Amino acid sequence: MYRYDEFDINFVNARVDQFRDQISRRLNGDLTEEQFKPLRLMNGLYLQLHAYMLRVAIPYGTLSSRQMRQLAFIAERFDKDYGHFTTRQNIQFNWPKLEDMADILTHLADVEMHAIQTSGNCIRNVTADHWAGVAADEVEDPRPYAELLRQWSSVHPEFTFLPRKFKIAVTGAPNDRAAVAFHDIGLKVKENEDGEAGFEVLAGGGMGRTPVVGVTIRDWLRKKDLLAYVEAIMRVYNLHGRRDNKYKARIKILVMDLGADEFRRQVDEEFAKIDAPEVLLPEEEIQRISAYFAPPDCEKLDDNDSTLDGHLKENTAFRLWHDTNIATHKIPGYAIVNISLKPIGGIPGDANSAQMRIVAELAERYNHDEIRVNYEQNLVLPYVRKSDLFQVWQELVDAELATDNLGLVTDIICCPGLDYCALATARSIPIAQEISNHFSDAGKQREIGDLKIKISGCINACGHHHAGHIGILGLEKRGQEYYQITLGGSGDENAAIGAIVGPGFSYAEVVPAVDKIVDTYMDLREEGETFLEAYRRVGAAPFKEALYAAH
Amino acid sequence: MAKKSEAAKVVTANRLGDGLVVFLGQEGVWVEDIGKAEIAHANGDADALLQQGLNAEKANHVVEPYLIDVGDDEAAVTPLHIRERIRTLGPSVRLDLGKQAGEHLF
Ligand code: SF4
């Protein structure tokens, strides 16, 4: 795992000291809110509906047990004993006091964490495939490059005041679990014809009010050119990106305006101007950072474990969980354990301090001290021996963390919505809870199969509704909550934006509408066809018919 | 239906130090309980109330004061808009938190 070097430590500590001073000047009245707001946002501090909210970065979604324990401590001591894991590999605390903020940041800095790059018009916390380094389908662990980008961007003066926030995601696998096509820049490690690993570079993707699937602007890029090439993209963006209209300031608008070819041409032109691009990213530096991400000492094990097979035969609940929540590991005898933070009827992404501590403890005992958080608001233990799975599951059951629904209809992505968020136009969490309760039956969920429902409480789309197989967007109409449903979106390697199915629904009509959509799919699907495949085959017509024909 | 401008109003904001939702009460005191808020019934009163709120912002007691419409029958003062009802009570999905749980009222 990455450990701060002296530069990082000093940098983060200096930022905490600086912010401590700014907070006390705010509290004693030397700074007005107008002056203070940009400063607090640079430190991840928002003002939401009920209170301040602190958004803490979990770079590329990797945490140690010690860090997870510190988050639990902060939740317990300074908040209301819980935190919310977001769709961008961050954690949010919903009730911290401004008066405590500098202390909280000091506690975070003690475990090499911070809230920088979680807000404001900068390059945001770089996100990565949560199975990075362990997934069986991976070409290479992309996290060293996420870390290189983090280091490079966090101190780069040109990138502190961009036209708008800027999001980068990386994946090392052909199956995209990081939604790279929905980022300002998406990077995919892949091999060229000679078998050399490099990057496919996508640009101009994003959600929000104008959802766009990013386009490939470079099919394959040498690794050592990474920073130079990203710099070239940033230069073109900084030069032309609109600062006059915040809705038009994202790079996606620029790529659309210029057209992908012209954008690519300009980036290439800038790139050509950078002398010796590899100076920005010398091989030794790649090696140095990669060393931090070297896999832990795993044992040489047989891939089949007879005790596991025995438990799977004897224990149905364990088998159900194993079927949905375990993914194939690249190392024989190991498994990737996905911990669902979507209990039936619960709040997607929320975890209390006791649960955080249990996960920390499990990671320490069974998992080389490493935890991942993913953009689908779940947690991952990436290195569990197959022979330990039963034990781990039992402990998760005791902590109410063994919900067996990964990728199923109740594994819903959901933003905080109007229950917390100052920008929201409607509630999203209770909609998620009602859908989850409605489809709570384990057998029914499995019968429905892979289905991603994603819910946002406003057009900003933090709940990724555009990329939901079923997307739900909360709006307001004449003072009432009102919901638009989209179908056919996808955040994977075949990224697509969902299409609005028709007129919206009142709060009470949403669950029945989702139910009709699911029923329609189950009636028309062919053998083995997932919701998304069926939708792509038949289009929206049968769903419209089911939803609106009777009206 | 009463015209919008005629709705009763109170001033709300977030308190500077802890960020919690507060309402402007009598004699310029900020209170956590909307039931104790000063209610403006006529437009002119609302403007004066908001001005008081803005002064308190200048004095760095609260952040972003604004007027909200409320219904005030004898029983309770209730914001008309759902957003403000949630601010007044707490998250609708965590009834154990916020003012609805009696947490901050004193
Ligand atoms: S989508 Fe809207 S409501 Fe949801 S968290 Fe983002 S800004 Fe808030």
Side-chain angles (χ1 to χ4, degrees), chain A residues 221-425:
Chain A
L221 180 77
R222 292 188 308 178
K223 285 191 210 161
K224 57 186 167 192
D225 290 340
L226 178 66
L227 297 185
Y229 194 76
V230 173
E231 170 128 6
I233 296 175
M234 301 308 294
R235 280 190 196 168
V236 173
Y237 173 52
N238 239 343
L239 192 68
H240 298 304
R242 291 184 54 170
R243 290 169 190 267
D244 58 326
N245 179 341
K246 83 173 193 171
Y247 301 120
K248 301 210 160 159
R250 297 292 289 269
I251 194 173
K252 60 192 174 189
I253 305 291
L254 178 65
V255 176
M256 281 195 296
D257 282 356
L258 291 176
D261 289 339
E262 175 59 16
F263 181 76
R264 183 182 297 119
R265 193 194 64 71
Q266 294 198 14
V267 170
D268 284 344
E269 197 175 284
E270 279 300 328
F271 181 54
K273 283 189 210 156
I274 300 172
D275 285 348
E278 56 275 16
V279 172
L280 274 174
L281 186 53
E283 182 58 31
E284 310 80 74
E285 186 60 5
I286 298 181
Q287 295 299 339
R288 187 179 76 82
I289 298 294
S290 297
Y292 286 113
F293 295 91
D297 287 334
C298 288
E299 296 162 51
K300 281 220 172 349
L301 300 170
D302 194 35
D303 200 37
N304 290 317
D305 185 86
S306 56
T307 51
L308 170 65
D309 292 344
H311 289 304
L312 287 171
K313 273 202 198 86
E314 282 156 27
N315 192 317
T316 314
F318 175 57
R319 194 180 63 241
L320 286 174
W321 175 79
H322 188 276
D323 284 352
T324 45
N325 289 40
I326 301 301
T328 312
H329 206 287
K330 61 162 75 153
I331 303 172
Y334 282 81
I336 303 172
V337 172
N338 294 284
I339 301 172
S340 168
L341 292 182
K342 320 289 174 62
I344 298 301
I347 298 179
D350 276 12
N352 62 32
S353 65
Q355 292 175 319
M356 292 182 213
R357 288 197 176 100
I358 299 267
V359 173
E361 162 120 17
L362 289 174
E364 210 164 55
R365 291 211 327 260
Y366 299 108
N367 193 56
H368 296 279
D369 207 18
E370 189 172 323
I371 301 151
R372 307 283 177 82
V373 311
N374 72 18
Y375 88 88
E376 297 190 307
Q377 302 175 289
N378 293 315
L379 303 176
V380 180
L381 298 175
Y383 286 103
V384 180
R385 278 189 305 235
K386 287 187 173 177
S387 55
D388 290 331
L389 281 176
F390 187 66
Q391 184 65 32
V392 168
W393 172 73
Q394 284 180 312
E395 297 191 31
L396 288 172
V397 170
D398 291 343
E400 296 180 11
L401 285 169
T403 313
D404 51 356
N405 63 351
L406 217 87
L408 300 179
V409 56
T410 57
D411 182 8
I412 300 169
I413 291 195
C414 179
C415 81
L418 191 55
D419 281 296
Y420 292 96
C421 178
L423 301 172
T425 37

Side-chain angles (χ1 to χ4, degrees), chain A residues 48 415-418 421-426 428 455-463:
Chain A
Q48 292 287 39
C415 81
L418 191 55
C421 178
L423 301 172
T425 37
S428 48
I455 312 175
S456 305
C458 82
I459 193 78
N460 288 319
C462 305

Side-chain angles (χ1 to χ4, degrees), chain A residues 188 216 546:
Chain A
K188 241 185 219 186
T216 298

